[in-house]
PDB file of all heavy atoms in Angstrom:
ATOM      1  N   SER A1497     -21.266  -7.330 -11.563  1.00 98.00           N
ATOM      2  CA  SER A1497     -21.246  -8.684 -12.125  1.00 98.00           C
ATOM      3  C   SER A1497     -20.710  -8.568 -13.632  1.00 98.00           C
ATOM      4  O   SER A1497     -19.905  -9.315 -14.111  1.00 98.00           O
ATOM      5  CB  SER A1497     -22.420  -9.440 -12.049  1.00 98.00           C
ATOM      6  OG  SER A1497     -22.917  -9.647 -10.620  1.00 98.00           O
ATOM      7  N   LYS A1498     -21.253  -7.671 -14.320  1.00 98.00           N
ATOM      8  CA  LYS A1498     -20.781  -7.388 -15.748  1.00 98.00           C
ATOM      9  C   LYS A1498     -19.355  -7.127 -15.886  1.00 98.00           C
ATOM     10  O   LYS A1498     -18.658  -7.725 -16.713  1.00 98.00           O
ATOM     11  CB  LYS A1498     -21.708  -6.307 -16.478  1.00 98.00           C
ATOM     12  CG  LYS A1498     -23.128  -6.647 -16.719  1.00 98.00           C
ATOM     13  CD  LYS A1498     -23.801  -5.546 -17.343  1.00 98.00           C
ATOM     14  CE  LYS A1498     -25.320  -5.804 -17.626  1.00 98.00           C
ATOM     15  NZ  LYS A1498     -25.981  -4.614 -18.233  1.00 98.00           N
ATOM     16  N   LEU A1499     -18.889  -6.335 -14.928  1.00 98.00           N
ATOM     17  CA  LEU A1499     -17.456  -6.006 -14.954  1.00 98.00           C
ATOM     18  C   LEU A1499     -16.588  -7.221 -14.690  1.00 98.00           C
ATOM     19  O   LEU A1499     -15.632  -7.489 -15.295  1.00 98.00           O
ATOM     20  CB  LEU A1499     -17.150  -4.799 -13.959  1.00 98.00           C
ATOM     21  CG  LEU A1499     -17.749  -3.519 -14.250  1.00 98.00           C
ATOM     22  CD1 LEU A1499     -17.494  -2.570 -13.072  1.00 98.00           C
ATOM     23  CD2 LEU A1499     -17.177  -2.905 -15.513  1.00 98.00           C
ATOM     24  N   ASN A1500     -17.005  -8.061 -13.644  1.00 98.00           N
ATOM     25  CA  ASN A1500     -16.315  -9.215 -13.240  1.00 98.00           C
ATOM     26  C   ASN A1500     -16.343 -10.243 -14.401  1.00 98.00           C
ATOM     27  O   ASN A1500     -15.302 -10.890 -14.708  1.00 98.00           O
ATOM     28  CB  ASN A1500     -16.917  -9.845 -12.062  1.00 98.00           C
ATOM     29  CG  ASN A1500     -16.310  -9.304 -10.785  1.00 98.00           C
ATOM     30  OD1 ASN A1500     -15.124  -9.530 -10.473  1.00 98.00           O
ATOM     31  ND2 ASN A1500     -17.061  -8.491 -10.018  1.00 98.00           N
ATOM     32  N   TYR A1501     -17.451 -10.407 -15.045  1.00 98.00           N
ATOM     33  CA  TYR A1501     -17.538 -11.357 -16.207  1.00 98.00           C
ATOM     34  C   TYR A1501     -16.622 -10.895 -17.387  1.00 98.00           C
ATOM     35  O   TYR A1501     -15.927 -11.667 -17.987  1.00 98.00           O
ATOM     36  CB  TYR A1501     -18.899 -11.479 -16.740  1.00 98.00           C
ATOM     37  CG  TYR A1501     -19.740 -12.439 -15.856  1.00 98.00           C
ATOM     38  CD1 TYR A1501     -20.892 -12.124 -15.248  1.00 98.00           C
ATOM     39  CD2 TYR A1501     -19.294 -13.852 -15.839  1.00 98.00           C
ATOM     40  CE1 TYR A1501     -21.667 -13.010 -14.485  1.00 98.00           C
ATOM     41  CE2 TYR A1501     -20.078 -14.737 -15.066  1.00 98.00           C
ATOM     42  CZ  TYR A1501     -21.241 -14.359 -14.436  1.00 98.00           C
ATOM     43  OH  TYR A1501     -22.000 -15.259 -13.708  1.00 98.00           O
ATOM     44  N   MET A1502     -16.600  -9.591 -17.650  1.00 98.00           N
ATOM     45  CA  MET A1502     -15.764  -9.017 -18.600  1.00 98.00           C
ATOM     46  C   MET A1502     -14.291  -9.255 -18.361  1.00 98.00           C
ATOM     47  O   MET A1502     -13.508  -9.734 -19.273  1.00 98.00           O
ATOM     48  CB  MET A1502     -15.984  -7.581 -18.860  1.00 98.00           C
ATOM     49  CG  MET A1502     -15.144  -6.955 -20.026  1.00 98.00           C
ATOM     50  SD  MET A1502     -15.253  -5.198 -20.158  1.00 98.00           S
ATOM     51  CE  MET A1502     -14.122  -4.717 -18.774  1.00 98.00           C
ATOM     52  N   LEU A1503     -13.837  -8.997 -17.168  1.00 98.00           N
ATOM     53  CA  LEU A1503     -12.390  -9.202 -16.755  1.00 98.00           C
ATOM     54  C   LEU A1503     -12.017 -10.669 -16.902  1.00 98.00           C
ATOM     55  O   LEU A1503     -10.937 -11.015 -17.394  1.00 98.00           O
ATOM     56  CB  LEU A1503     -12.104  -8.668 -15.456  1.00 98.00           C
ATOM     57  CG  LEU A1503     -12.251  -7.077 -15.279  1.00 98.00           C
ATOM     58  CD1 LEU A1503     -12.001  -6.646 -13.861  1.00 98.00           C
ATOM     59  CD2 LEU A1503     -11.130  -6.478 -16.209  1.00 98.00           C
ATOM     60  N   ASP A1504     -12.958 -11.514 -16.422  1.00 98.00           N
ATOM     61  CA  ASP A1504     -12.684 -12.904 -16.458  1.00 98.00           C
ATOM     62  C   ASP A1504     -12.554 -13.509 -17.793  1.00 98.00           C
ATOM     63  O   ASP A1504     -11.735 -14.293 -18.092  1.00 98.00           O
ATOM     64  CB  ASP A1504     -13.836 -13.630 -15.635  1.00 98.00           C
ATOM     65  CG  ASP A1504     -13.538 -15.182 -15.581  1.00 98.00           C
ATOM     66  OD1 ASP A1504     -12.534 -15.471 -14.825  1.00 98.00           O
ATOM     67  OD2 ASP A1504     -14.247 -15.968 -16.156  1.00 98.00           O
ATOM     68  N   ASP A1505     -13.412 -12.990 -18.780  1.00 97.00           N
ATOM     69  CA  ASP A1505     -13.309 -13.410 -20.164  1.00 97.00           C
ATOM     70  C   ASP A1505     -12.085 -12.936 -20.731  1.00 97.00           C
ATOM     71  O   ASP A1505     -11.456 -13.672 -21.434  1.00 97.00           O
ATOM     72  CB  ASP A1505     -14.582 -12.747 -20.926  1.00 97.00           C
ATOM     73  CG  ASP A1505     -14.584 -13.174 -22.333  1.00 97.00           C
ATOM     74  OD1 ASP A1505     -14.723 -14.369 -22.624  1.00 97.00           O
ATOM     75  OD2 ASP A1505     -14.393 -12.319 -23.153  1.00 97.00           O
ATOM     76  N   ILE A1506     -11.655 -11.729 -20.519  1.00 97.00           N
ATOM     77  CA  ILE A1506     -10.450 -11.243 -21.119  1.00 97.00           C
ATOM     78  C   ILE A1506      -9.252 -12.063 -20.799  1.00 97.00           C
ATOM     79  O   ILE A1506      -8.379 -12.463 -21.470  1.00 97.00           O
ATOM     80  CB  ILE A1506     -10.260  -9.796 -20.844  1.00 97.00           C
ATOM     81  CG1 ILE A1506     -11.251  -8.880 -21.574  1.00 97.00           C
ATOM     82  CG2 ILE A1506      -8.823  -9.308 -21.153  1.00 97.00           C
ATOM     83  CD1 ILE A1506     -11.231  -7.453 -21.034  1.00 97.00           C
ATOM     84  N   ILE A1507      -9.086 -12.249 -19.408  1.00 98.00           N
ATOM     85  CA  ILE A1507      -7.945 -13.029 -18.813  1.00 98.00           C
ATOM     86  C   ILE A1507      -7.847 -14.357 -19.342  1.00 98.00           C
ATOM     87  O   ILE A1507      -6.799 -14.910 -19.753  1.00 98.00           O
ATOM     88  CB  ILE A1507      -8.003 -12.903 -17.270  1.00 98.00           C
ATOM     89  CG1 ILE A1507      -7.744 -11.514 -16.757  1.00 98.00           C
ATOM     90  CG2 ILE A1507      -7.085 -13.941 -16.670  1.00 98.00           C
ATOM     91  CD1 ILE A1507      -7.840 -11.361 -15.294  1.00 98.00           C
ATOM     92  N   HIS A1508      -9.035 -15.113 -19.407  1.00 97.00           N
ATOM     93  CA  HIS A1508      -9.006 -16.439 -19.852  1.00 97.00           C
ATOM     94  C   HIS A1508      -9.083 -16.656 -21.361  1.00 97.00           C
ATOM     95  O   HIS A1508      -8.368 -17.598 -21.846  1.00 97.00           O
ATOM     96  CB  HIS A1508     -10.249 -17.236 -19.226  1.00 97.00           C
ATOM     97  CG  HIS A1508     -10.015 -17.497 -17.731  1.00 97.00           C
ATOM     98  ND1 HIS A1508     -10.594 -16.659 -16.787  1.00 97.00           N
ATOM     99  CD2 HIS A1508      -9.417 -18.527 -17.062  1.00 97.00           C
ATOM    100  CE1 HIS A1508     -10.162 -17.116 -15.631  1.00 97.00           C
ATOM    101  NE2 HIS A1508      -9.498 -18.227 -15.861  1.00 97.00           N
ATOM    102  N   ARG A1509      -9.679 -15.763 -22.028  1.00 96.00           N
ATOM    103  CA  ARG A1509      -9.639 -15.867 -23.562  1.00 96.00           C
ATOM    104  C   ARG A1509      -8.190 -15.726 -24.063  1.00 96.00           C
ATOM    105  O   ARG A1509      -7.823 -16.405 -25.022  1.00 96.00           O
ATOM    106  CB  ARG A1509     -10.518 -14.790 -24.150  1.00 96.00           C
ATOM    107  CG  ARG A1509     -10.722 -15.033 -25.808  1.00 96.00           C
ATOM    108  CD  ARG A1509     -11.341 -13.777 -26.343  1.00 96.00           C
ATOM    109  NE  ARG A1509     -12.495 -13.320 -25.730  1.00 96.00           N
ATOM    110  CZ  ARG A1509     -13.248 -12.335 -26.228  1.00 96.00           C
ATOM    111  NH1 ARG A1509     -12.845 -11.636 -27.247  1.00 96.00           N
ATOM    112  NH2 ARG A1509     -14.317 -11.879 -25.554  1.00 96.00           N
ATOM    113  N   TYR A1510      -7.572 -14.659 -23.421  1.00 96.00           N
ATOM    114  CA  TYR A1510      -6.152 -14.402 -23.989  1.00 96.00           C
ATOM    115  C   TYR A1510      -5.115 -15.114 -23.188  1.00 96.00           C
ATOM    116  O   TYR A1510      -3.840 -14.770 -23.330  1.00 96.00           O
ATOM    117  CB  TYR A1510      -5.854 -12.919 -24.111  1.00 96.00           C
ATOM    118  CG  TYR A1510      -6.853 -12.356 -25.081  1.00 96.00           C
ATOM    119  CD1 TYR A1510      -8.085 -11.831 -24.732  1.00 96.00           C
ATOM    120  CD2 TYR A1510      -6.583 -12.414 -26.571  1.00 96.00           C
ATOM    121  CE1 TYR A1510      -8.895 -11.274 -25.759  1.00 96.00           C
ATOM    122  CE2 TYR A1510      -7.410 -11.859 -27.384  1.00 96.00           C
ATOM    123  CZ  TYR A1510      -8.597 -11.331 -27.024  1.00 96.00           C
ATOM    124  OH  TYR A1510      -9.460 -10.823 -28.051  1.00 96.00           O
ATOM    125  N   GLU A1511      -5.429 -15.839 -22.140  1.00 97.00           N
ATOM    126  CA  GLU A1511      -4.587 -16.605 -21.299  1.00 97.00           C
ATOM    127  C   GLU A1511      -3.495 -15.767 -20.692  1.00 97.00           C
ATOM    128  O   GLU A1511      -2.273 -16.063 -20.665  1.00 97.00           O
ATOM    129  CB  GLU A1511      -3.854 -17.882 -22.052  1.00 97.00           C
ATOM    130  CG  GLU A1511      -4.821 -18.708 -22.737  1.00 97.00           C
ATOM    131  CD  GLU A1511      -4.193 -19.815 -23.572  1.00 97.00           C
ATOM    132  OE1 GLU A1511      -3.003 -19.638 -24.072  1.00 97.00           O
ATOM    133  OE2 GLU A1511      -4.790 -20.977 -23.688  1.00 97.00           O
TER     134      GLU A1511
END
Side-chain angles (χ1 to χ4, degrees):
S1497 299
K1498 288 180 181 179
L1499 294 175
N1500 273 289
Y1501 277 121
M1502 181 187 75
L1503 292 174
D1504 185 66
D1505 179 66
I1506 289 171
I1507 287 171
H1508 286 93
R1509 188 194 310 180
Y1510 295 97
E1511 300 179 334

